[in-house]
Amino acid sequence: MNTALPSAMWLPFGARVLRARSDKGLSRAELARTVGVTDDKLREVEYAHCRPARTLVERVDTALGADHQLVDAWAITLQAEAFPNEFGDMRELGAHAARLWEHQPMAVPTYLRTREYSRAILGPAHPDLDGDQVEAMVDEEMAHRAAMTGPDGPGLRVVLNEPALTRPQGGAAVVNAQRGFLADLIEAGIVTMGVIPEQTPRHPGLGGAFRLMEFEDRPSMVYAFAAQGGELTADPAQVGRCTMVRDAIEHAAVELTPDSEILTSRWPGL
């Protein structure tokens, strides 16, 4: 009997089913009876312990009045598991990790940004969008931050290259507030952080940003960021290589505390 769990990509889908059921005010047992399966089977779907058949997802979609959204999400997840580089919902996948490690050479990760810093990053990066469109993207980042840094979020470890904290993105008030916000997150135990000094002679963090996600009872996954999209993989060889790079980055990093000068000093005083 094959007892291997499905890919971690099914975690967001299972959570989506659970949310849809909860929004309808149905217990798991009630929905299970309606769609003709056992309570245990529906639990397996909601906790991503199985790949549900399309026929079951269609019955659940109909019972919850989801207007085909669950069926569409099922198809996207199935496709993503077969071709992981096409997986687009990285934010939701990351929120379901048990532990998340990330290296960013240029900017603070999306889930640790203040609203003002987020706006200062997104506006210049998307000159084709108007103010309302940029603000909608900022709102998305803030919702992502709430999920990642909340009590149900993953354990967070981030290592930055020093310029990510010294570049005055958005001006003095914005970058100073961002530094203070990071100090507060570290003090609260929400994230641990390191920084690689700019003067490091053998800098291991020049190969681009990447994220290593570890899941309970599932293989780890790596996401390599790119200018447009990125690449997601669970290939053991690729994950192993990125783990070695992570270890080298950690070896070069200086641990940050709430009282670290790079967080407490105020631009332009550096």
Side-chain angles (χ1 to χ4, degrees):
M1 177 178 172
N2 182 10
T3 58
L5 291 170
S7 161
M9 292 179 187
W10 287 96
L11 288 167
F13 175 79
R16 186 175 306 217
V17 174
L18 193 155
R19 286 195 302 269
R21 174 176 63 78
S22 298
D23 289 345
K24 284 292 184 180
L26 293 175
S27 69
R28 186 180 294 116
E30 289 172 329
L31 179 58
R33 285 195 299 270
T34 300
V35 300
V37 297
T38 65
D39 190 5
D40 286 344
K41 181 63 177 178
L42 193 56
R43 182 183 294 107
E44 287 184 349
V45 174
E46 292 184 347
Y47 287 90
H49 288 172
C50 73
R51 297 175 186 83
R54 181 186 179 96
T55 53
L56 172 57
V57 177
E58 288 174 340
R59 296 199 302 273
V60 170
D61 193 291
T62 299
L64 296 178
D67 195 27
H68 219 259
Q69 292 182 23
L70 293 179
V71 176
D72 290 345
W74 174 88
I76 290 170
T77 306
L78 199 67
Q79 174 80 359
E81 190 174 35
F83 305 99
N85 289 355
E86 298 300 320
F87 189 77
D89 203 357
M90 275 300 303
R91 292 181 178 179
E92 193 170 0
L93 181 62
H96 285 84
R99 291 165 296 280
L100 186 148
W101 183 97
E102 184 164 330
H103 172 244
Q104 285 289 344
M106 301 298 291
V108 174
T110 58
Y111 48 85
L112 299 180
R113 296 175 180 175
T114 65
R115 175 174 286 275
E116 293 74 17
Y117 183 87
S118 174
R119 189 180 296 116
I121 292 286
L122 293 172
H126 299 277
D128 55 319
L129 302 182
D130 62 31
D132 289 342
Q133 290 172 311
V134 170
E135 202 61 28
M137 295 177 70
V138 172
D139 288 342
E140 289 180 3
E141 286 199 353
M142 293 303 98
H144 180 49
R145 188 186 81 185
M148 293 287 281
T149 62
D152 296 326
L156 295 173
R157 170 68 177 174
V158 171
V159 179
L160 303 174
N161 289 2
E162 185 177 352
L165 292 173
T166 58
R167 182 181 300 106
Q169 189 73 23
V174 171
V175 73
N176 291 339
Q178 178 64 63
R179 290 175 186 165
F181 183 62
L182 292 176
D184 291 342
L185 292 175
I186 294 170
E187 186 170 28
I190 292 172
V191 63
T192 64
M193 296 188 70
V195 64
I196 303 179
E198 183 67 0
Q199 298 304 316
T200 300
R202 295 176 60 84
H203 201 304
L206 302 179
F210 71 98
R211 175 183 298 178
L212 179 62
M213 295 174 285
E214 298 178 345
F215 301 89
E216 297 294 349
D217 303 320
R218 288 174 171 83
S220 297
M221 305 185 82
V222 167
Y223 184 77
F225 293 84
Q228 297 294 327
E231 289 194 12
L232 177 71
T233 182
D235 176 71
Q238 293 290 339
V239 172
R241 180 184 178 281
C242 288
T243 300
M244 292 176 62
V245 176
R246 177 200 64 186
D247 293 345
I249 287 173
E250 285 287 4
H251 184 72
V254 174
E255 194 69 15
L256 292 179
T257 72
D259 298 322
S260 293
E261 183 179 359
I262 199 170
L263 297 180
T264 58
S265 61
R266 291 297 174 256
W267 191 87
L270 282 177

